[in-house]
Amino acid sequence: MKLKSTLLALISLITFSIQGQTHNEYEVSFDNRVHHEAHIKVKFSNLENKVLEIRMSRSSPGRYAVHEFAKNVYAVKATDGKGNALAVTRSNPSQWDVAGHDGTVNFEYTLYANRAGGTYSGVDETHAHFNIPATFVWARNLGHRPVTVKYNLPEGSNWKVATQMKNMGNDTYYAPDTYYFMDSPTEIADFHLRERMIDGQNVRLALHTPASDEEVDTYFEEVVKIVEQQAAVFGELPKFDFGEYTFLSCYVPNASGDGMEHRNSTYVVSGKSASRPLGNTSMGTISHEFFHAWNVERIRPASLEPFDFEDANMSGELWFAEGFTSYYTNLIRARSGNITKEQYVNGLGGAVSYVINAPGRKYFNPIEMSYRAPFVDAAASIDPTNNSNIFISYYTYGSVIGLALDMSLRTMDNGKSLDGYMQHVWKTHGKPEIPYAVKDLEARLAEYAGDAFSKEFFGKYIFDSQMPDYEGLFEQMGVSFENPNAGQVSLGANLRMVDGTARLTSNAIVGSPLYEAGIEREDKILSIAGKRMEDVEGRINISEILLQYKPGDRIEIGIDRWGEKMNKAVVLGENQNKRSSWNADASSAAKKRREDWLSKK
C-alpha cells in the first residue's frame, strides 16, 4: 500500500509538471493495421520563430550500426496551430524542415511497420510492436521536453499497452524527455501479464503469445528465478524508474527473433509457431537482456554517452558490455536451475575453441573487435566482406575472456570471483552511474585482485590478443577440455551442395588446407579425392570421404572457377575443435570450486 501511495503521488506530481511545462504530444491510430500501417500525429508547440527540424532516427539504443528508419515514413503533412497547411522541405533523407509556422507545428505521417523485433516495428491485426526510434519522429533542440503518447486502441481488440513509460491513464504514457522516450519500446496487444514484487520493485512480464495461462505461469516462475540469481551477482537490483521493470516478450509466428535491452525494460522476440509449446522459448535471451539492466544500461561505456540517434555508435568496450553479459547468460540459467550444471559446462568448450582457432585474433584485439560493431551489428552491405577471417564477435570473444577471468580469480582460492569484480564495478560505476573506459575497468580489477594480476590480464588478453591457458584453468574447475576428434582429418571448411557441386559456406579460412591450396568461396568443387560431388546425395560427410586418409596426406580437389576446370593439391589438416565436459574424476579441490561457481546464490 505504501508503494502504491508513493506511485500515485508521483503520478500526480508528473501530471502537474506536464500541465505547467511545454511537452511534445504524440497520438497513434491503427485504422489500417491489417496492411501494417500506423497513423501518427505529433504536436510541437511554443516554438521559436525559426525552421523546425523534424528527424527520424538512424540508430537505436542497443544497436551500434545505422538503420535508415525514415524509409518507412510517408504521407507527411504539417499544419500550424490554426490548421493552415505548412510547406515541408527535405534537407536530407531523414529530416523534414517546417518553416512559416505560428509557434505550433502539427506533424502527421503514415508509418509502414512489418518487422516485429528488437530493432524495428510491426503492426498487424494482432498487435502493435514499437521500437520507438523506428516509429516516431522527434525535433532537434526540443529533446529536453517531456513527451506524452496517446494510443487510440482499436475498438473490440482487447489490446493493452506495456512500456517502461509512465502510465498516465486513458492509454496515455509519459517520458521525461526525448532520450527516455526513444529508449522505451512498447508492446500493444492482448497479452498475458504477470507481476512479482522483488526487493520492493515490480517485475512484470507482458507476454504476447497464444500459449495457455498455465504455460505462462510456469514460464514466469523461470523468469523470476533468473531475476533473483542476477540480483545475487550484483548484490541488489538496480533502482528502476517508477519502481518497475518490464519484460516485453512477443512470441508469435510473424515476429522476428531478437532481443534488445533498455533502461527499465527489454524486448525479447521470437517467431515461435503457434503449435510449439512455450517451454523455455528465448530464455537465454531473457537472461542476457536482463543482465544488461546493470551491465550497459547503468555500468555504461563513456563512448556511448550521449547516444547518437543520427549516426553509428562506436565503442571499444563491447567485449565487456556485451561479451561479459554473454558469459553470464547461461551461467545464470545454470544457477537458477533452468538448465543443468552439466549442460552448462558441456556447452562452454565450443566458443573457447572457436576463439582460440579464429584467425581474426591476428588482426584485432577485443577492443578493436568492438570497434567493428557498426559494420556487423545487423548492418547490411552489398559488397562481400572478409569477416570470417578478420572478425570474431565481441559477444563470443568477450564471453570467453569473462570465463577466463572468472576461472583465474576462483583458482586463487582466496574468495575472489568474477561476481565479486562485477559487484565492485557496479558500486564504483554502475550504481552512481559514472561512465567508464577500458582503463577504468583495468583499474577496478587492480583494486579488486591486485595491480600485478590486472596488468598481466589486461596486457595479454585485452590490449593484446593472446589466449589464456584454458586447459589448465578448466582442469582446476573440474572440467575437461579435450579434442574428441584428435587425429581426424579436416579441410578447415564447411561445405554445402549446390547443383551437384560443393561450395564453401564462407571465405576460405586463413591457414586452412583449402586456403593454402588456393581454393575460394566462388569455386565450384567438382570432386574431392576422386569422389565426384554430383554422385553425392544429401549432406556432404567429409569425414566419410576422407576416412582412409590421415593429417598431412595430400589429395586432389577438382574445381570449376568461372568455367575453367582445374585440380588443386590439398594437404589435409587435423581437426582442432576442442570440447568441454563435466569431469567426474576431478580433484576434491576442483569439485569444490566447480560447485561454488555453479551453485545457486
Side-chain angles (χ1 to χ4, degrees):
M1 291 300 293
K2 183 178 179 181
L3 177 63
K4 184 176 181 181
S5 298
T6 302
L7 291 177
L8 288 174
L10 181 59
I11 293 171
S12 298
L13 182 63
I14 292 169
T15 303
F16 177 79
S17 175
I18 291 175
Q19 289 172 346
Q21 183 179 0
T22 303
H23 59 288
N24 304 328
E25 304 173 60
Y26 293 78
E27 184 176 352
V28 188
S29 301
F30 305 98
D31 294 339
N32 202 28
R33 62 192 183 281
V34 68
H35 293 297
H36 311 295
E37 288 184 345
H39 186 68
I40 299 172
K41 299 178 182 179
V42 54
K43 180 180 180 180
F44 301 106
S45 56
N46 197 23
L47 302 173
E48 296 182 8
N49 185 22
K50 59 183 182 182
V51 174
L52 181 66
E53 299 177 354
I54 298 174
R55 295 280 304 181
M56 198 71 181
S57 297
R58 301 181 65 233
S59 58
S60 180
R63 289 257 87 109
Y64 309 104
V66 166
H67 302 272
E68 302 292 358
F69 297 125
K71 63 184 176 292
N72 281 323
V73 172
Y74 47 92
V76 169
K77 299 176 184 177
T79 59
D80 64 16
K82 301 180 182 63
N84 300 312
L86 296 171
V88 179
T89 57
R90 304 294 296 275
S91 55
N92 63 66
S94 295
Q95 184 167 317
W96 298 262
D97 296 332
V98 183
H101 55 76
D102 59 358
T104 296
V105 170
N106 297 298
F107 189 85
E108 60 182 287
Y109 58 98
T110 297
L111 175 80
Y112 180 78
N114 193 21
R115 186 175 175 85
T119 306
Y120 302 99
S121 293
V123 174
D124 56 44
E125 288 186 299
T126 69
H127 71 163
H129 176 110
F130 286 155
N131 179 42
I132 304 303
T135 306
F136 293 102
V137 298
W138 47 273
R140 276 193 178 143
N141 304 316
L142 301 183
H144 61 285
R145 292 182 174 183
V147 170
T148 60
V149 186
K150 162 69 173 167
Y151 293 107
N152 297 317
L153 305 184
E155 187 175 351
S157 64
N158 294 322
W159 283 7
K160 305 179 290 289
V161 180
T163 178
Q164 70 180 27
M165 294 174 68
K166 190 65 218 170
N167 186 351
M168 305 301 294
N170 194 32
D171 299 317
T172 301
Y173 293 80
Y174 161 90
D177 53 38
T178 295
Y179 189 102
Y180 195 93
F181 179 42
M182 289 291 115
D183 193 43
S184 300
T186 302
E187 181 73 14
I188 310 173
D190 184 12
F191 51 71
H192 300 262
L193 181 65
R194 299 292 184 272
E195 300 177 284
R196 182 74 52 84
M197 294 300 295
I198 301 177
D199 293 338
Q201 299 188 88
N202 192 26
V203 175
R204 307 193 303 168
L205 171 67
L207 176 53
H208 180 209
T209 176
S212 68
D213 285 338
E214 291 75 17
E215 285 183 284
V216 174
D217 288 342
T218 301
Y219 189 86
F220 184 54
E221 292 305 319
E222 293 298 314
V223 172
V224 167
K225 292 175 186 176
I226 284 174
V227 169
E228 291 173 339
Q229 285 304 300
Q230 292 195 3
V233 170
F234 294 97
E236 61 184 337
L237 288 174
K239 186 177 181 181
F240 299 125
D241 302 331
F242 313 121
E244 195 164 73
Y245 186 94
T246 306
F247 290 96
L248 302 165
S249 297
C250 183
Y251 305 157
V252 294
N254 55 322
S256 173
D258 200 0
M260 193 57 58
E261 74 277 1
H262 299 273
R263 182 172 172 83
N264 303 290
S265 64
T266 183
Y267 244 144
V268 178
V269 191
S270 171
K272 187 184 83 67
S273 68
S275 60
R276 182 162 60 88
L278 183 56
N280 269 338
T281 299
S282 297
M283 196 60 71
T285 310
I286 289 278
S287 179
H288 182 97
E289 303 304 335
F290 188 64
F291 200 85
H292 277 316
W294 293 269
N295 191 28
V296 87
E297 290 299 331
R298 291 165 177 84
I299 302 174
R300 186 86 173 152
S303 51
L304 296 179
E305 287 294 315
F307 190 85
D308 188 348
F309 290 96
E310 299 185 34
D311 205 350
N313 287 260
M314 187 178 81
S315 171
E317 292 80 23
L318 298 185
W319 59 269
F320 181 80
E322 296 288 0
F324 275 40
T325 298
S326 294
Y327 167 64
Y328 272 102
T329 296
N330 283 332
L331 174 58
I332 292 296
R333 295 180 69 194
R335 289 178 178 176
S336 75
N338 186 253
I339 59 175
T340 67
K341 296 172 183 178
E342 289 86 350
Q343 284 175 317
Y344 172 69
V345 162
N346 295 345
L348 289 171
V352 174
S353 183
Y354 164 70
V355 175
I356 288 174
N357 294 325
R361 289 193 298 109
K362 300 175 184 177
Y363 303 97
F364 303 113
N365 65 26
I367 298 169
E368 293 162 333
M369 291 297 180
S370 300
Y371 287 152
R372 296 190 64 79
F375 304 137
V376 299
D377 182 43
S381 60
I382 297 175
D383 56 320
T385 70
N386 198 24
N387 281 340
S388 55
N389 278 310
I390 67 171
F391 180 68
I392 306 169
S393 169
Y394 39 84
Y395 288 85
T396 308
Y397 203 161
S399 71
V400 302
I401 292 173
L403 169 65
L405 180 54
D406 200 4
M407 294 193 295
S408 297
L409 291 169
R410 290 178 181 278
T411 53
M412 292 178 181
D413 292 330
N414 59 2
K416 302 294 184 183
S417 68
L418 188 60
D419 292 359
Y421 174 61
M422 295 302 290
Q423 276 196 34
H424 183 56
V425 175
W426 166 247
K427 291 174 182 177
T428 52
H429 288 276
K431 194 170 183 178
E433 301 204 36
I434 299 172
Y436 71 87
V438 173
K439 293 298 287 185
D440 295 312
L441 296 176
E442 183 183 18
R444 300 295 82 78
L445 185 59
E447 293 163 359
Y448 180 71
D451 188 64
F453 176 82
S454 180
K455 282 184 177 178
E456 181 179 16
F457 193 91
F458 271 77
K460 287 182 176 180
Y461 313 130
I462 307 302
F463 300 122
D464 198 2
S465 52
Q466 299 176 47
M467 283 280 98
D469 175 18
Y470 283 101
E471 186 172 342
L473 288 170
F474 271 131
E475 183 180 5
Q476 294 188 71
M477 297 300 296
V479 179
S480 298
F481 186 53
E482 301 170 332
N483 184 352
N485 299 304
Q488 186 181 91
V489 298
S490 171
L491 292 176
N494 293 319
L495 303 178
R496 61 188 173 91
M497 292 299 297
V498 180
D499 298 329
T501 66
R503 305 283 186 88
L504 277 72
T505 59
S506 68
N507 293 355
I509 302 301
V510 171
S512 70
L514 294 187
Y515 186 94
E516 296 300 325
I519 297 176
E520 254 306 337
R521 186 174 189 172
E522 59 266 26
D523 295 326
K524 301 176 181 178
I525 297 177
L526 305 177
S527 62
I528 298 176
K531 179 71 172 181
R532 296 192 312 170
M533 294 297 97
E534 63 182 10
D535 296 333
V536 173
E537 294 183 3
R539 184 177 178 180
I540 305 173
N541 191 326
I542 300 299
S543 299
E544 290 185 4
I545 294 176
L546 302 178
L547 197 59
Q548 60 184 303
Y549 298 96
K550 62 183 184 296
D553 286 350
R554 185 184 299 266
I555 64 169
E556 282 198 348
I557 292 183
I559 66 170
D560 180 328
R561 179 174 294 165
W562 304 308
E564 182 181 354
K565 296 180 179 179
M566 60 188 79
N567 290 322
K568 294 285 187 178
V570 177
V571 178
L572 295 172
E574 183 178 10
N575 189 312
Q576 299 295 320
N577 295 323
K578 291 187 175 182
R579 292 292 181 265
S580 57
S581 60
W582 187 273
N583 183 2
D585 298 322
S587 68
S588 58
K591 288 179 179 179
K592 183 180 183 305
R593 293 188 199 101
R594 187 175 64 194
E595 184 61 24
D596 290 343
W597 174 34
L598 304 178
S599 64
K600 179 180 178 181
K601 308 304 177 189

